[in-house]
Amino acid sequence: MFLGGLGEIGRNCACIEVDGRIMLLDCGLMFPESDMPGVDLVLPDFTYLRDNADRIEGCIITHGHEDHAGGLSFLLREIEFPIYGSALTLGLARSRIEEAGLLGRTRLIPVADGERRRIGPFDVEFIPVTHSVPNGFATVFRTPQGIILHSGDFKIDFTPVDGRATDLARIGAISSEEGVRLLLADSTNAEEEGHTASERSVGRVLADLFAAHPDKRIIVACFASHIHRIQQIADAAIANGRVIATLGRSMGKNVALARSMGLLSIPDASLVDIDDIGGLDPRRVCVISTGSQGEPMSALALMAANDNRRLVAGDGDLVVLSSHAIPGNETSVGKVIDGLSRLGAEVIHSGLADVHVSGHAKRDELRLLQSLVRPQSFIPVHGEFRHLSHHARLAASMGCPEGRILLAEDGDVIQLTDDGIDFAGEVPAGYLYVDGIVGDVGRGVLRDRQVLAAEGVVMVVITVDMKTGELVTGPEIITRGWVYAPEADELLGEARRVVLAAVEDELASGAVEVEAVGRRARQALGRLVNERTKRRPMIVPVVMEA
Ligand SMILES: [Zn+2]
Ligand SMILES: [Zn+2]
């Protein structure tokens, strides 16, 4: 059952049910798109989980990215359950859960590479895969209907920075010895031909960049969870005689976490506090910063707006964006590059040099997985619909029988039975919009915001005495974001006259309810506004009783 992630990149969440018990596989969030004003993040629809809370056995987090773990701090408010994942994955997920004050509602249970564990009726094996955050898993579920293999987010990096490679041998052994009934695999890069380059290739490019810019302070931005990237930036910095400071809250936190787990090797002597770099020779400093996606309040965006009190960028700086803009973030990233350039900094991004590689498998790796697994049936997951459909075609081209490839979407329920595999209904899987700490803002609120953003608002305020049927004050017309006021004098005068006539008519006809008066005012004003301006601002009547 897919609650998210099939039809968008983000809010990955699936349920696997065996013997009436439910195992959640990831519980992620999605960052809002530009047509979602004021929305902080988007979650899966938790209706099904809420309705079946007593059947939930736990949640397995495949890796520590927000699109897989970021929804937990919301779901845990409603349902208590244990969470399984690698120690790093749990460490990354923990801070959000802790911030939400919900640690008491879960148990974080670490699992090791290659471990096979029984959780209720679930027999789960955790297989190492490489990705853009360390210690991610593919998961194998041995069910009464055969083996389900979920790839997790993965790439096949033959030379990973930490030496922990995708365990192809184990995947191959399970596939040939036991057979895989159903494969679910990451579709993010299903449109990209070739093989994603090894993370190590970025290390070489970074080393060259550091060597070529001995006279500049170097600032490198990347995802705070990309521990291997941080390691390679640190290695390049240290090799070139620099000390390292982190900038941005999550960067500092994750560096500390990964160092404490032995997953990141930076000697104490090479780390300095960002507040102390002012006293150092800038040519001896490397800053590793958050904000590689141009997030508006991030350290890098503030720096680009010359509004970061910890670090002022200028012509002595080389800024490297060791990242690739996620679809939807291109404009914000562009703005950050522009702002930094205006301040005089030299900016290197993935369009100029190979300072980034993807964490997801491209087509050759997807083919490799298909040929290794030879699944009886296949469902592409983790992607927009076009990615899923490309991935489905790739599987078909490799001999997976067409009838056994299911192009599922959010909300689809798939059933494996003795007779085969098929769609078996739907569950609610709409977007859950979160604004601040308030839960669902709802579709209605979002529609209102879209209208307000695009068309503005026109309010009409009147006071009536319902007993005498008299208009006491108004109509007063107040507008925001609708028309430029000085040019609207005439229009506003006309609006007042039209509303006045409509309200007086309504009162004269014996109206006894305030709502009826408001409705009439709204209709009259709406009609005029639309006729005169061909626009549809939000019309809000405010009728007060004297
Ligand atoms: Zn993902
Ligand atoms: Zn991921």
Side-chain angles (χ1 to χ4, degrees):
M1 181 177 308
F2 300 106
L3 298 181
L6 277 69
E8 66 261 315
I9 305 270
R11 59 168 212 151
N12 293 285
C13 186
C15 302
I16 295 181
E17 292 198 23
V18 171
D19 291 345
R21 302 295 293 170
I22 299 169
M23 179 61 79
L24 267 164
L25 190 56
D26 289 328
C27 181
L29 57 75
M30 183 170 89
F31 292 102
E33 285 156 23
S34 56
D35 63 349
M36 302 175 186
V39 173
D40 294 330
L41 49 96
V42 183
L43 295 174
D45 187 326
F46 293 141
T47 306
Y48 181 80
L49 301 177
R50 206 177 292 125
D51 292 348
N52 295 279
D54 55 327
R55 297 203 288 122
I56 296 177
E57 193 69 48
C59 180
I60 292 168
I61 305 296
T62 56
H63 63 286
H65 281 153
E66 296 274 40
D67 61 323
H68 296 257
L72 287 168
S73 52
F74 294 89
L75 184 57
L76 281 171
R77 286 173 205 195
E78 305 181 51
I79 307 169
E80 297 188 27
F81 52 85
I83 301 169
Y84 302 83
S86 70
L88 176 68
T89 301
L90 296 179
L92 292 169
R94 183 193 166 96
S95 64
R96 254 185 189 265
I97 298 172
E98 195 167 19
E99 273 168 28
L102 297 170
L103 270 183
R105 296 178 62 81
T106 185
R107 271 179 310 134
L108 302 176
I109 302 169
V111 291
D113 284 0
E115 183 173 340
R116 184 169 165 184
R117 177 188 270 262
R118 187 160 264 286
I119 308 167
F122 300 93
D123 177 350
V124 197
E125 183 174 336
F126 300 88
I127 299 179
V129 291
T130 46
H131 183 43
S132 42
V133 58
N135 294 10
F137 288 131
T139 40
V140 174
F141 294 83
R142 289 181 175 80
T143 80
Q145 285 294 336
I147 288 183
I148 302 173
L149 169 59
H150 182 274
S151 73
D153 286 15
F154 82 106
K155 67 192 269 189
I156 299 174
D157 191 336
F158 293 118
T159 55
V161 171
D162 59 0
R164 178 186 176 275
T166 299
D167 195 346
L168 296 175
R170 184 65 192 140
I171 293 173
I174 292 170
S175 305
S176 62
E177 287 160 21
E178 303 173 70
V180 170
R181 178 89 194 270
L182 172 63
L183 172 67
L184 309 168
D186 177 2
S187 310
T188 313
N189 278 345
E191 292 181 326
E192 310 279 327
E193 232 10 286
H195 191 120
T196 295
S198 172
E199 176 61 26
R200 261 186 214 276
S201 67
V202 177
R204 288 189 286 272
V205 175
L206 288 170
D208 290 349
L209 273 177
F210 273 78
H213 294 84
D215 297 331
K216 296 206 164 179
R217 182 170 64 178
I218 300 182
I219 301 162
V220 189
C222 70
F223 271 124
S225 59
H226 205 325
I227 306 301
H228 292 155
R229 187 67 51 83
I230 296 168
Q231 181 72 67
Q232 299 196 98
I233 298 164
D235 289 348
I238 292 166
N240 286 276
R242 293 176 189 256
V243 292
I244 296 142
T246 62
L247 182 60
R249 208 165 69 100
S250 54
M251 188 61 76
K253 245 180 164 174
N254 290 359
V255 164
L257 175 72
R259 286 180 82 221
S260 75
M261 293 181 149
L263 296 171
L264 182 64
S265 156
I266 305 176
D268 285 338
S270 295
L271 268 182
V272 294
D273 193 284
I274 187 74
D275 292 327
D276 296 335
I277 62 170
L280 301 173
D281 179 350
R283 296 169 302 176
R284 292 276 159 266
V285 172
C286 166
V287 175
I288 307 182
S289 171
T290 57
S292 60
Q293 291 298 316
E295 304 93 323
M297 293 310 290
S298 66
L300 195 69
L302 293 175
M303 202 189 300
N306 209 7
D307 196 18
N308 191 320
R309 60 187 178 84
R310 294 212 145 89
L311 197 157
V312 178
D315 57 10
D317 288 315
L318 171 73
V319 182
V320 181
L321 270 71
S322 187
S323 57
H324 184 73
I326 293 171
N329 291 349
E330 294 91 345
T331 317
S332 335
V333 173
K335 265 190 194 150
V336 164
I337 294 174
D338 211 50
L340 291 166
S341 306
R342 184 167 285 124
L343 292 171
E346 181 182 349
V347 184
I348 306 272
H349 52 81
S350 57
L352 293 170
D354 295 327
V355 289
H356 177 72
V357 294
S358 172
H360 298 273
K362 293 187 180 173
R363 291 174 68 83
D364 278 347
E365 290 149 279
L366 299 177
R367 288 187 186 101
L368 178 53
L369 184 69
Q370 289 284 343
S371 65
L372 203 57
V373 177
R374 291 280 162 206
Q376 262 188 42
S377 38
F378 172 58
I379 301 176
V381 298
H382 201 286
E384 291 167 17
F385 194 79
R386 55 182 213 182
H387 304 127
L388 305 179
S389 71
H390 266 99
H391 201 179
R393 253 173 272 155
L394 177 142
S397 77
M398 297 198 54
C400 191
E402 297 258 8
R404 298 263 180 81
I405 301 172
L406 275 64
L407 210 43
E409 289 187 86
D410 292 344
D412 281 336
V413 181
I414 313 289
Q415 201 163 22
L416 285 164
T417 64
D418 293 345
D419 301 327
I421 180 170
D422 212 348
F423 290 93
E426 279 177 30
V427 293
Y431 284 0
L432 183 71
Y433 304 100
V434 178
D435 178 2
I437 54 163
V438 185
D440 190 3
V441 298
R443 276 194 185 284
V445 172
L446 199 62
R447 245 189 327 266
D448 284 353
R449 285 183 186 177
Q450 286 162 349
V451 172
L452 288 170
E455 307 276 358
V457 60
V458 180
M459 287 175 62
V460 51
V461 184
I462 49 178
T463 312
V464 291
D465 185 334
M466 294 310 291
K467 285 186 210 84
T468 61
E470 271 172 37
L471 184 67
V472 183
T473 63
E476 188 187 350
I477 312 271
I478 303 163
T479 79
R480 288 289 182 274
W482 174 48
V483 282
Y484 183 51
E487 288 170 10
D489 269 355
E490 204 178 314
L491 199 55
L492 290 174
E494 197 178 353
R496 264 191 297 273
R497 282 193 296 280
V498 167
V499 173
L500 184 64
V503 168
E504 282 183 334
D505 183 58
E506 185 70 26
L507 289 170
S509 70
V512 288
E513 282 179 354
V514 201
E515 287 76 20
V517 178
R519 223 167 16 241
R520 187 70 188 273
R522 186 175 186 276
Q523 278 168 4
L525 185 56
R527 198 175 306 127
L528 176 86
V529 162
N530 186 240
E531 264 171 26
R532 290 286 186 279
T533 63
K534 297 289 172 230
R535 280 149 87 175
R536 293 191 170 278
M538 183 179 292
I539 309 270
V540 183
V542 180
V543 185
M544 292 173 289
E545 263 195 277

